[in-house]
Amino acid sequence: MRTAQQLAQNPETEPVSADVVIVGAGLFGLVTAQQIIEHTDKTVHIIDIRNHIGGNAYSYFDEETGAEIHKYGAHLFHTSNERVWEYVNRFTEFTNYVHRVYTTHKGEVFPMPVNLGTINQFFHASYTPVEAQKLIEEQAGEFAHVDPQNLDEQGKKLIGEPLYNAFIRNYTGKQWQTDPSELPASIIRRLPVRFNYDNRYFKDTWEGLPKDGYTAWFERMIDDSRITVTLGVDFFDESQPYNKKALVGKVPVIYTGPVDKYFGYELGELKWRTVDFTEKRYDEADHFGVPVMNYADSDVPYTRAIEFKNFNPERRDQQNPHKTVVWEEYSRFANRDDEPYYPINTEEDKALYAQYKAKAEAEPSVVFGGRLGTYAYYDMHQIINTALIAFEKEVEPLLK
């Protein structure tokens, strides 16, 4: 199997010779490349401005601790889509990891999402499921029958004021750098509450982490001589051959970068949230005892902390028993030069994207995809599914 480094070419000397160029080596681009090779006789060249493949799901192994670091924050694979599950298992085996999250509130740790254990611990009670459900309905109080005008009112309506104030209000405020009373109710259309002791975070049929790591999985997907990759290449840099001016209209292009950037931001900029990380290292085998610890209180400036070793307990023999690494995650509004993570999706943003989408649909021989190309937030299984569908409905017909 060729590694990403072996796949990469020299952007200064490599001629434009592939049948298809894919801009972006994230999951949408990788799945599309794999499908082109499998179902057509075309050759593919992938470019990416970063120095690695995999997009935001890229990971690497930390030399000191042996932990697999998810460079852009925790990535956890889960799906109920049988087609997607069968597809990804062609390229990697998965561990039996089941994601569970805990939240620290006022010095006490609670299981999340809110479940019967959370409720009984919070209220120092032993409610049955029926009793707990009745309690939550009562605590919604005056908000139970109103049309929520902001996130505060929506949260209180969904889970009652005490639980909302404890676990959601300040956490959400940190996520958005905005008081929840000033945020739209639509941000939290629902809040999961389980009236049993199930604290599994996801409810999907299948869940796990790639046994050999994310990057090994992605390398296998494009391990074919008809796929080449150039890393560290800016699609908008006309000093190198794989640029927009040289390619569009001359060769089919799959574009997964920011849709507003493709059009030179001529209609305005779409708004995103981004995250920053602060790394902490501890002379301990295990600092939290869990992979992810949320912090619900406003006096802790970060939203959560990620301890990567705990995602892979099956690798204990390959990990340093005396060292661990933790990343603290901070959320903020993104600037143009930041890595965009989550679309803000205000009504103004939605209207602006609709205009860009119309322009994208009129572009000759270009297929727009991925979260940046379609201004949407996707989990990994969703982006894989959209790529499989896009290949069938857009890419393959374009290549014919």
Side-chain angles (χ1 to χ4, degrees), residues 101-102 110-123 132 136 163 167 192-201:
V101 172
Y102 293 83
F110 296 83
M112 287 285 118
V114 173
N115 60 73
L116 193 55
T118 317
I119 294 168
N120 280 330
Q121 182 180 347
F122 184 78
F123 292 108
I136 298 304
L163 290 171
F167 299 117
V193 180
R194 297 175 187 160
F195 296 102
N196 56 34
Y197 290 94
D198 177 15
N199 70 333
R200 180 183 175 191
Y201 194 77

Side-chain angles (χ1 to χ4, degrees), residues 158-277:
L158 291 172
I159 63 172
E161 190 165 4
L163 290 171
Y164 168 75
N165 285 341
F167 299 117
I168 307 300
R169 190 183 197 282
N170 292 320
Y171 186 88
T172 304
K174 289 189 290 186
Q175 278 187 313
W176 290 89
Q177 292 177 293
T178 305
D179 189 283
S181 64
E182 300 174 11
L183 292 169
S186 60
I187 290 177
I188 52 169
R189 297 185 187 277
R190 66 181 185 88
L191 285 171
V193 180
R194 297 175 187 160
F195 296 102
N196 56 34
Y197 290 94
D198 177 15
N199 70 333
R200 180 183 175 191
Y201 194 77
F202 302 116
K203 296 191 294 183
D204 284 300
T205 305
W206 299 285
E207 181 176 358
L209 297 170
K211 280 191 174 181
D212 302 319
Y214 280 103
T215 299
W217 164 14
F218 303 148
E219 288 171 345
R220 292 187 191 112
M221 289 178 65
I222 56 172
D223 187 20
D224 189 288
S225 61
R226 287 187 289 147
I227 299 176
T228 52
V229 180
T230 302
L231 301 174
V233 172
D234 185 348
F235 180 59
F236 302 98
D237 177 8
E238 294 184 6
S239 69
Q240 57 82 30
Y242 291 94
N243 68 77
K244 178 184 174 183
K245 184 177 180 180
L247 295 173
V248 173
K250 302 177 179 66
V251 62
V253 172
I254 316 301
Y255 177 79
T256 69
V259 62
D260 51 356
K261 185 175 182 179
Y262 181 93
F263 294 104
Y265 305 103
E266 62 185 53
L267 302 177
E269 292 187 44
L270 294 165
K271 300 182 185 67
W272 293 79
R273 300 285 299 170
T274 191
V275 294
D276 298 316
F277 300 98

Side-chain angles (χ1 to χ4, degrees), residues 247-321:
L247 295 173
V248 173
K250 302 177 179 66
V251 62
V253 172
I254 316 301
Y255 177 79
T256 69
V259 62
D260 51 356
K261 185 175 182 179
Y262 181 93
F263 294 104
Y265 305 103
E266 62 185 53
L267 302 177
E269 292 187 44
L270 294 165
K271 300 182 185 67
W272 293 79
R273 300 285 299 170
T274 191
V275 294
D276 298 316
F277 300 98
T278 297
E279 183 178 281
K280 299 286 181 65
R281 291 180 179 263
Y282 298 93
D283 295 329
E284 304 166 358
D286 190 351
H287 187 68
F288 286 117
V290 294
V292 177
M293 180 66 73
N294 288 354
Y295 287 88
D297 300 331
S298 59
D299 58 353
V300 178
Y302 45 91
T303 55
R304 63 179 182 172
I306 305 166
E307 187 167 9
F308 293 101
K309 285 174 69 174
N310 289 327
F311 285 126
N312 299 100
E314 77 281 359
R315 296 178 185 160
R316 288 299 185 195
D317 291 344
Q318 291 83 49
Q319 296 173 343
N320 187 336

Side-chain angles (χ1 to χ4, degrees), residues 41 57 62 64 71 119 124-125 166 252 277 299 307 310 350 352 357 376:
D41 60 355
D62 180 65
E64 182 182 44
K71 183 176 174 65
I119 294 168
H124 305 288
F277 300 98
D299 58 353
E307 187 167 9
N310 289 327
K350 292 175 184 177
L352 179 58
K357 183 180 180 183

Side-chain angles (χ1 to χ4, degrees), residues 350-370:
K350 292 175 184 177
L352 179 58
Y353 171 64
Q355 296 178 61
Y356 276 124
K357 183 180 180 183
K359 291 178 68 67
E361 290 172 347
E363 276 294 282
S365 303
V366 181
V367 174
F368 289 74

